[in-house]
Amino acid sequence: MANVLIFDICLILILSGVESCFIPSSLYVPVPQTIQVGYEITKVEVAECDTKSLHFTLRDPSFTILNNGSVVAVSPVKVPARGRTFSVMAQDNSGLESEMEVHLVHSTIEREHKSKGFLKRSKRRWSPPPFNILENDKGPYPKEIEKIVSDSEAKHDVYYTFSGPGYNKEPVGVFSLDRFTGMLSVNKPVDREAYPSFTLNTRVFDKLTNLETDLPLNIQIVVDDVNDNIPQFQGPLQLTVPEQSKAGTVVGKVNATDRDQVGTLHVKIKYSLLSGLDLFTINPATGVISTVTNTLDREVKDKHMVTVQIKDMYGADNGLSNTATATINLSDINDNPPTFTKTSYEVNVKENENEKLVLRIPVEDKDLINTPNWISKFVITKGNENGNFRIETDPKTNEGLLYISKPLDYEKTKNVKLEITAQNEAELNGGTAQWMSIPVDVTVSNVDEGPEFTAPTIRFIVKENTPNGTLIGSYTAADPETKSSDGIKYYKVTDPGSWINVDRNTGELRVANTIDRESQFVQDGIYNITMKAVDASTKTATGTVIIQVDDVNDNMPELPTSEMVLCDKEGELSSMVVVANDLDQSPYSSPFSFTLADDHDGKWFVTRFNDTAATLQQIKELPTRTYDVHLNVKDLQGFGRVQTAKVRICQCRNGACLTKPRSVSLGALALLAMLLPLALLLLLCILLAVFCVTKRDMPDMEDIDSGGILLKSNTEAPGEQVDSSLITVPAINIEQAVKGSVKGPGPLNAEWLGNKSSSTIGAHSTHENGLYKSGVVTAGMEEYYSSGQFDNQYGTQQFNGSHLIGSSMGFDNRQLIQDSALLHTWQTNGCYIHQKLGYLGTEEDGRYADDIIHSYGFEGAGSTAGSVGCCSDIGDNDNLDFLNTLGPKFKTLAGICTKT
């Protein structure tokens, strides 16, 4: 076995700013299998320790530790293959003891390898596993950690290689290795909270052959923790506890964490309060805050601010600390009852008042506003046995509202003494406080009130059909103060059937009309009327009279009046059920008795079916038709009569007759309804015939304006000039028209016997020797105008023995020729006269007599319009001065219509 090289692997610990004495938490030392007496194992290096007060202790009796920190064997020690461990403690006057575990490990490791086909055990030595470095060591850097040694160095000239995190993987460059000497160094500080350990793969190679001379070995580098992280608070420091809580009540828990290594004093936190110690305490290990008194009062102070300190190293002087302010809120409990602002109340109310607010009762409450601990609830504990009052809480002001819920009567109660208690929605909690009460003295004032009926309702029993005028009873009222009925009048307010009369002076009720229990006004045998009593001061009272109408046997059973169908079944005698109805009630109603009348025809017999019905059956087969069956129907008291049941026998399908022949007789109204359309149709035919006779060849009359040159127009401005030469006038032989020589009747010529007459302008006619000849001058007008054959003045011209009579004012021929509108008027008038003459020519001689100019007598004196007769007769034809009086509108119209 090669000699073991002992290297000093203890690190010099330099902790700036650390006040406590510190040694590494663990140390691995390679030793031989047998340690001799006096063999120095290692030397413990300390940091930031007071060397004067420092002392070491060792718990393994085989070793001892000197004052300089050297660990020496005091007896021979054999190190087993699994190694050996013991602890070393260091302590100075700071009082804090640090512990380090020393691990003794073998420096030889067996291995197997193949050589020349034989298995041979050989040994390999690596020095040393594992290594420790101090977190955030200040250096200087690079700083040697340990030399790596393989026992293959004894036979080979070797070099070493590294790989892994911290070397050639993230974080790169933390460690370096001298490949020829095997010295492992750290190049910069390492944060344990980021990288608690590193594992590097180490390999050894021969320099000449570059072949591995030993098996690879994973070397672990552990970062030893230092107390470099301040503990931190977690979560909000908002705590709540009810007021008046008992001492020891848990308020809440303060949570804190420390990033240093778990399981060490670096993360062992001690909790403490720096303020509020008179009210609260905190558990140093758990951080739970509790109360130390029961005097916490929200109404005095609703929140408390306390300072909490957390310190690691379990509160040691060299521990790192942090502080924060915790807010402790006191939640409200109902420890304050509502209190009244007064010691008593007095109130005056008038009698007969109802649903009226009479008093507001304010209260005060120190508890949290708008919570069940503050909201008041009022209770009338005394004096409200009759239920005349009720009390509510105003949701806005928290006041008590005292109402009258039932009218008070001064004559019965002149004073009421109430006791009102103020409570909360929540029950009282804590303390010895009780609900408070207050007296309320209510004085009732007297008022002049109206009469009162002896009772709100009164009941009378009356049989129906009681004779009119029968006294039912009296319903009276009296003044509640004088108890007198003098001067009180009585009236009906409602009486649906007008069955009762009320005596205005005495209040007596008498039957006025027949009382019918079966009336629609009676419900379940009860008939109600409402009465009103009025005293001298017009004050009123209202009461109800309940009349219980007893039934009498005034209705007999009745059979249905409609036709009942009995289906005829071949080879069988059919039957049917006949049902009767009685409006009376028992015992004046069912069960009914059904019998055939004494004079029955022997075709039917009847048997009882139930209390209100009987079975009617044929005795023999009967032909299909309608039969009248006389039945004697009586009620339980024997009251009844013989009635006729109409039974129709027919062939049925689904219970209905297939055919329903019956004789029908029409009444007078039905006959009148049938004859009236015939009469109207006949009258229409007569009128149509008369119309056809009188309308024959009647042309359509056009509504024209004849005999004037002023035309109707809506034109507000001059229109376009029209050349009259462009107007085409239908060509008609004027000579024939003038002479009337056209043969036969027609629209152009007509001849008949008649009186002498004249026509309007545009036509000519003569009546000589009773012969009427006419012709329409419609064509060739321009020739007559231009040739001067038409006279401008009123008069006549001779045309082959005929007279042309013009009935218009004088015209300028040139103006007529040029003015197309006037020409159109002339042609229109001619067509109109031509149509009218054709119509008159087809009638009798007297027809045309009405179509002439008539002379009328003078209708009065002083008329600005003149006589109607003068307007109708020919006279003063040349005077056109009236045109100057038509006004500017007509002058403008004339200017538009006249070509200038």
Side-chain angles (χ1 to χ4, degrees):
M1 177 183 299
N3 294 328
V4 178
L5 298 177
I6 305 299
F7 297 93
D8 183 13
I9 61 172
C10 294
L11 301 177
I12 300 174
L13 305 177
I14 302 174
L15 298 175
S16 63
V18 179
E19 300 177 358
S20 61
C21 183
F22 178 80
I23 60 177
S25 60
S26 63
L27 184 64
Y28 290 84
V29 181
V31 294
Q33 287 184 339
T34 302
I35 301 176
Q36 302 298 326
V37 176
Y39 183 84
E40 184 177 345
I41 304 299
T42 185
K43 185 177 181 180
V44 177
E45 298 292 338
V46 297
E48 301 297 332
C49 293
D50 184 9
T51 57
K52 295 181 180 180
S53 61
L54 178 65
H55 68 275
F56 297 97
T57 57
L58 193 150
R59 296 181 180 178
D60 192 329
S62 299
F63 303 95
T64 186
I65 186 168
L66 305 178
N67 291 333
N68 61 358
S70 298
V71 179
V72 180
V74 295
S75 63
V77 177
K78 286 189 177 182
V79 179
R82 64 178 180 276
R84 183 168 177 168
T85 301
F86 57 89
S87 296
V88 175
M89 276 73 68
Q91 186 177 17
D92 60 4
N93 57 4
S94 66
L96 185 63
E97 186 179 64
S98 297
E99 181 179 2
M100 178 179 69
E101 290 185 349
V102 180
H103 302 275
L104 304 180
V105 296
H106 263 240
S107 60
T108 59
I109 300 177
E110 298 180 353
R111 65 172 182 169
E112 294 182 358
H113 61 89
K114 294 182 179 180
S115 177
K116 298 181 182 181
F118 293 96
L119 291 176
K120 181 179 180 181
R121 294 181 62 87
S122 63
K123 295 182 179 179
R124 174 178 67 91
R125 261 183 60 172
W126 284 95
S127 172
F131 304 125
N132 291 75
I133 61 174
L134 193 64
E135 174 186 17
N136 293 324
D137 191 359
K138 291 184 177 181
Y141 294 100
K143 187 174 184 179
E144 294 181 349
I145 299 175
E146 185 60 79
K147 185 177 182 181
I148 300 173
V149 178
S150 172
D151 60 356
S152 62
E153 284 188 5
K155 298 180 181 181
H156 302 279
D157 188 9
V158 298
Y159 67 90
Y160 298 90
T161 61
F162 257 6
S163 65
Y167 183 75
N168 58 356
K169 295 182 181 180
E170 285 297 329
V172 178
V174 176
F175 303 101
S176 60
L177 177 69
D178 189 326
R179 60 182 302 178
F180 298 111
T181 64
M183 178 58 70
L184 174 65
S185 302
V186 58
N187 301 321
K188 54 186 176 181
V190 179
D191 186 4
R192 189 206 65 84
E193 284 70 41
Y195 304 100
S197 65
F198 299 88
T199 301
L200 298 175
N201 184 263
T202 306
R203 303 175 69 181
V204 58
F205 295 89
D206 188 284
K207 292 180 180 180
L208 298 178
T209 63
N210 289 327
L211 297 177
E212 283 189 85
T213 61
D214 210 337
L215 294 177
L217 178 67
N218 287 332
I219 295 178
Q220 185 177 18
I221 303 174
V222 177
V223 181
D224 290 335
D225 183 45
V226 296
N227 191 20
D228 58 343
N229 289 282
I230 298 174
Q232 302 293 328
F233 289 93
Q234 277 192 328
L237 296 178
Q238 295 287 337
L239 308 175
T240 303
V241 65
E243 62 174 332
Q244 306 294 342
S245 295
K246 297 179 180 180
T249 302
V250 174
V251 177
K253 186 177 184 299
V254 177
N255 295 311
T257 60
D258 196 314
R259 296 182 60 206
D260 290 323
Q261 188 172 358
V262 177
T264 65
L265 287 174
H266 300 164
V267 296
K268 192 171 184 181
I269 298 174
K270 185 177 182 179
Y271 300 86
S272 60
L273 292 180
L274 303 183
S275 65
L277 296 175
D278 57 331
L279 300 175
F280 307 98
T281 184
I282 189 169
N283 187 301
T286 62
V288 173
I289 299 178
S290 305
T291 60
V292 296
T293 180
N294 61 351
T295 60
L296 295 173
D297 191 349
R298 190 203 66 84
E299 286 72 39
V300 176
K301 188 175 182 181
D302 61 351
K303 66 175 59 177
H304 297 270
M305 315 294 287
V306 296
T307 303
V308 182
Q309 175 183 269
I310 52 176
K311 192 172 186 181
D312 59 14
M313 305 296 292
Y314 200 61
D317 293 339
N318 59 343
L320 302 178
S321 64
N322 195 0
T323 59
T325 300
T327 302
I328 301 176
N329 297 293
L330 299 185
S331 61
D332 185 42
I333 65 171
N334 194 18
D335 57 339
N336 294 282
T339 58
F340 295 97
T341 58
K342 289 185 177 182
T343 57
S344 65
Y345 287 94
E346 293 181 357
V347 62
N348 291 322
V349 299
K350 294 180 180 180
E351 65 173 334
N352 300 324
E353 288 183 331
N354 190 23
E355 294 300 328
K356 181 180 179 181
L357 176 64
V358 296
L359 182 63
R360 280 182 171 268
I361 305 175
V363 293
E364 296 176 349
D365 198 316
K366 296 180 181 180
D367 290 319
L368 187 60
I369 191 171
N370 293 328
T371 64
N373 300 331
W374 177 85
I375 298 175
S376 298
K377 181 177 67 174
F378 297 88
V379 180
I380 303 175
T381 54
K382 292 181 182 179
N384 195 33
E385 289 76 12
N386 295 327
N388 295 103
F389 301 91
R390 80 173 191 276
I391 191 166
E392 299 175 354
T393 301
D394 190 327
K396 295 182 179 179
T397 64
N398 207 32
E399 294 177 320
L401 307 178
L402 183 62
Y403 290 90
I404 297 177
S405 59
K406 189 166 68 174
L408 292 166
D409 189 351
Y410 175 81
E411 286 70 31
K412 297 180 180 179
T413 307
K414 294 180 176 58
N415 183 269
V416 179
K417 295 185 181 299
L418 301 176
E419 183 181 84
I420 297 177
T421 301
Q423 303 176 359
N424 292 123
E425 289 185 354
E427 293 295 330
L428 283 176
N429 183 11
T432 59
Q434 300 293 326
W435 301 126
M436 300 183 64
S437 299
I438 190 173
V440 178
D441 192 356
V442 181
T443 301
V444 183
S445 301
N446 187 24
V447 296
D448 184 12
E449 52 191 345
E452 290 183 357
F453 278 101
T454 54
T457 61
I458 191 170
R459 180 184 292 265
F460 297 106
I461 300 176
V462 181
K463 289 187 177 182
E464 63 175 333
N465 301 323
T466 298
N468 295 348
T470 302
L471 178 64
I472 297 175
S474 297
Y475 190 31
T476 59
D479 191 313
E481 299 176 3
T482 64
K483 308 300 181 183
S484 173
S485 299
D486 294 340
I488 298 178
K489 302 295 183 182
Y490 303 94
Y491 303 91
K492 289 190 301 181
V493 178
T494 60
D495 183 8
S498 300
W499 291 348
I500 306 298
N501 280 337
V502 177
D503 191 296
R504 292 189 179 183
N505 298 317
T506 63
E508 291 182 346
L509 306 175
R510 295 182 181 272
V511 178
N513 289 299
T514 302
I515 298 176
D516 186 5
R517 190 185 186 281
E518 289 73 34
S519 170
Q520 61 178 343
F521 304 120
V522 179
Q523 301 294 329
D524 298 327
I526 299 298
Y527 178 75
N528 293 330
I529 68 171
T530 305
M531 288 181 58
K532 178 172 66 174
V534 183
D535 64 8
S537 62
T538 68
K539 290 184 172 59
T540 63
T542 303
T544 302
V545 179
I546 301 173
I547 298 177
Q548 179 179 328
V549 183
D550 283 354
D551 191 24
V552 298
N553 196 10
D554 58 342
N555 293 283
M556 62 181 64
E558 296 289 343
L559 293 177
T561 58
S562 60
E563 186 178 83
M564 295 177 287
V565 175
L566 179 62
C567 293
D568 185 23
K569 299 178 182 179
E570 186 175 356
E572 296 183 12
L573 296 177
S574 301
S575 63
M576 64 184 302
V577 176
V578 180
V579 181
N581 182 43
D582 194 330
L583 298 177
D584 292 325
Q585 290 187 337
S586 180
Y588 306 115
S589 181
S590 60
F592 303 142
S593 63
F594 296 85
T595 58
L596 291 171
D598 296 337
D599 57 347
H600 67 88
D601 52 8
K603 299 177 182 178
W604 309 86
F605 74 90
V606 64
T607 58
R608 182 180 184 278
F609 182 76
N610 57 25
D611 287 348
T612 60
T615 301
L616 182 64
Q617 188 168 3
Q618 299 172 249
I619 295 178
K620 57 184 178 180
E621 293 188 4
L622 299 174
T624 56
R625 66 180 181 86
T626 301
Y627 296 87
D628 292 338
V629 181
H630 302 289
L631 296 175
N632 189 4
V633 186
K634 298 180 179 181
D635 59 19
L636 182 60
Q637 306 301 326
F639 184 47
R641 63 183 175 87
V642 175
Q643 303 177 53
T644 300
K646 291 185 176 296
V647 180
R648 184 180 179 210
I649 302 176
C650 63
Q651 299 293 330
C652 296
R653 178 181 295 167
N654 297 328
C657 290
L658 295 177
T659 58
K660 199 172 184 179
R662 60 175 68 186
S663 61
V664 179
S665 60
L666 299 177
L669 292 178
L671 293 175
L672 180 61
M674 295 178 61
L675 293 177
L676 184 59
L678 296 178
L680 293 176
L681 182 60
L682 180 60
L683 179 60
L684 181 61
C685 293
I686 295 174
L687 293 176
L688 183 61
V690 173
F691 178 77
C692 292
V693 172
T694 59
K695 185 66 178 177
R696 184 175 56 183
D697 293 334
M698 179 181 290
D700 294 334
M701 298 299 178
E702 296 180 6
D703 184 11
I704 64 173
D705 182 13
S706 62
I709 64 173
L710 297 178
L711 304 179
K712 297 179 181 180
S713 173
N714 290 328
T715 303
E716 297 182 358
E720 298 178 356
Q721 292 294 332
V722 179
D723 190 354
S724 60
S725 63
L726 299 177
I727 301 176
T728 302
V729 180
I732 301 176
N733 192 339
I734 190 62
E735 292 184 359
Q736 295 179 353
V738 173
K739 295 179 179 180
S741 60
V742 179
K743 302 287 184 175
L748 185 62
N749 298 297
E751 296 182 3
W752 67 90
L753 295 175
N755 297 323
K756 183 178 180 179
S757 66
S758 63
S759 66
T760 60
I761 198 166
H764 73 276
S765 63
T766 58
H767 301 279
E768 297 179 352
N769 300 326
L771 179 62
Y772 181 86
K773 298 180 181 179
S774 67
V776 179
V777 181
T778 58
M781 288 293 181
E782 293 183 6
E783 295 178 5
Y784 288 94
Y785 298 155
S786 61
S787 64
Q789 292 181 356
F790 185 77
D791 193 349
N792 292 345
Q793 303 297 326
Y794 289 102
T796 60
Q797 287 281 352
Q798 184 72 29
F799 292 97
N800 295 329
S802 300
H803 296 279
L804 178 62
I805 299 175
S807 60
S808 182
M809 63 187 69
F811 297 96
D812 188 316
N813 293 344
R814 289 170 300 178
Q815 187 178 24
L816 290 173
I817 294 172
Q818 295 173 355
D819 196 335
S820 61
L822 182 60
L823 178 60
H824 174 72
T825 303
W826 182 265
Q827 293 173 341
T828 303
N829 290 344
C831 293
Y832 175 77
I833 296 300
H834 170 67
Q835 294 175 358
K836 195 167 186 180
L837 290 177
Y839 161 67
L840 294 175
T842 61
E843 302 295 337
E844 60 273 13
D845 294 340
R847 181 59 181 261
Y848 66 89
D850 292 332
D851 196 67
I852 63 176
I853 300 175
H854 296 274
S855 298
Y856 294 91
F858 188 68
E859 295 180 351
S863 173
T864 58
S867 173
V868 176
C870 71
C871 294
S872 302
D873 202 358
I874 300 173
D876 197 17
N877 294 329
D878 296 332
N879 187 6
L880 302 178
D881 294 336
F882 72 96
L883 295 174
N884 297 323
T885 64
L886 296 179
K889 294 184 179 180
F890 288 94
K891 290 181 180 181
T892 303
L893 182 62
I896 295 173
C897 298
T898 304
K899 180 178 180 181
T900 58

